[in-house]
Amino acid sequence: MRSRTEGSLQGQRLVVVGGRSGIARGLTEAALGQGAEVVLAGRAGAAASLPQGASWIDVDLREEETIATLVSEAGTVDHWVVSASAPANGPLADLPADGIRAALDAKVVGPLLLAKHAVASTREGGSMLLFSGVVGWRPSPGLTVMATANAAVAALVAALAVEVAPMRVNAISPGIVDSGAWDRLGAEKEAFLRRTAQQLPVGRVGEVEDIVSAALLALTNPFLTGSTLHVDGGGRWRP
Ligand SMILES: NC(=O)c1ccc[n+]([C@@H]2O[C@H](COP(=O)([O-])OP(=O)(O)OC[C@H]3O[C@@H](n4cnc5c(N)ncnc54)[C@H](OP(=O)(O)O)[C@@H]3O)[C@@H](O)[C@H]2O)c1
């Protein structure tokens, strides 16, 4: 029986793990705008600039204990979203083991542990939404760790969707999105985004809103589970 407004998050409770992630913030604002309650979660320090109406719980996806605490403090939840990422990019020979593990923890092991703890407190009709990424399907040198993590997310949502059913589990696989994550390139950011836009079938890089609209679909479509939605401007097929 459907007890909620189809296609809307009104009256639903979301936990969005991603701290300062631009996509998490965009989704939080959209969900609050639909009348949802949103708890943002992440590593300590990001709580200062919370969107109005959201609350905050500390969690570090490398630490199972903090994940269990997040779940118990969050109470009954409709949707869990994890948009965290701890990129480990560069030539393999230069990558420290703890950086590789942190990257896999943020996108794969942490979400898996979250599912372990969260299923019991997820309301009927609820879901989990993870984030993959285009590099999982379009690897290039220096991106092996993130390609592995992103491809693993797609396998994880398919497997979890079967194991934790009827809770739904999906992923979004963004292409290159000007979410704030690329600010770390400094002066090179604009040229990188311009170059990427020219290579993409859609002729532009992604905006946070492109990803948020797909995330809202994944959260509210009751027939969608085990799926990875590629919202990448055709990035998998660029020449
Ligand atoms: N933006 C893109 O172009 C793009 C492309 C492909 C895929 N994606 C994926 O889409 C998702 C969202 O992207 P975004 O650009 O909005 O992300 P982002 O700006 O890179 O933010 C990632 C967030 O993850 C948090 N984080 C890292 N490790 C964590 C941990 N152990 N525990 C808790 N939080 C942790 C970081 O928190 P701190 O602030 O504490 O470090 C940061 O706030 C990510 O999964 C990303 O890989 C994005």
Side-chain angles (χ1 to χ4, degrees):
M1 187 180 72
R2 287 179 182 160
S3 55
R4 278 166 256 181
T5 316
E6 185 91 12
S8 162
L9 293 171
Q10 190 184 2
Q12 299 191 34
R13 184 165 170 81
L14 274 73
V15 174
V16 181
V17 183
R20 282 184 283 257
S21 147
I23 290 171
R25 293 297 170 118
L27 178 58
T28 296
E29 277 160 20
L32 288 168
Q34 289 192 1
E37 267 180 70
V38 183
V39 179
L40 257 175
R43 292 189 284 197
S49 58
L50 271 188
Q52 204 175 2
S55 55
W56 177 269
I57 298 177
D58 284 349
V59 69
D60 185 334
L61 290 167
R62 294 169 299 183
E63 310 282 347
E64 182 171 10
E65 228 177 84
T66 72
I67 294 171
T69 303
L70 165 68
V71 169
S72 77
E73 287 182 9
T76 303
V77 168
D78 294 281
H79 303 285
W80 303 88
V81 179
V82 182
S83 72
S85 178
N89 295 330
L92 205 47
D94 298 343
L95 295 181
D98 57 353
I100 295 172
R101 290 202 181 93
L104 295 170
D105 279 347
K107 296 204 76 152
V108 183
V109 182
L112 188 50
L113 292 171
L114 179 62
K116 169 183 161 183
H117 290 277
V119 173
S121 53
T122 304
R123 208 168 272 149
E124 190 186 333
S127 77
M128 176 169 278
L129 179 64
L130 306 182
F131 279 81
S132 173
V134 66
V135 73
W137 285 264
R138 182 79 197 217
S140 56
L143 298 179
T144 295
V145 177
M146 298 319 285
T148 303
N150 286 321
V153 170
L156 177 57
V157 299
L160 271 179
V162 172
E163 174 145 5
V164 304
M167 179 177 168
R168 297 181 300 108
V169 188
N170 293 294
I172 304 291
S173 179
I176 302 302
V177 178
D178 190 6
S179 63
W182 300 104
D183 294 355
R184 64 176 180 266
L185 297 180
E188 287 169 33
K189 172 182 149 176
E190 288 309 322
F192 165 71
L193 294 180
R194 206 169 35 248
R195 230 176 20 251
T196 304
Q198 285 164 357
Q199 294 167 344
L200 288 174
V202 297
R204 68 170 177 84
V205 296
E207 296 169 1
V208 167
E209 292 70 25
D210 296 319
I211 307 304
V212 167
S213 71
L216 293 172
L217 170 76
L219 293 173
T220 57
N221 187 315
F223 202 53
L224 190 71
T225 194
S227 293
T228 295
L229 303 179
H230 295 276
V231 190
D232 59 10
R236 283 165 301 151
W237 320 121
R238 70 183 158 78

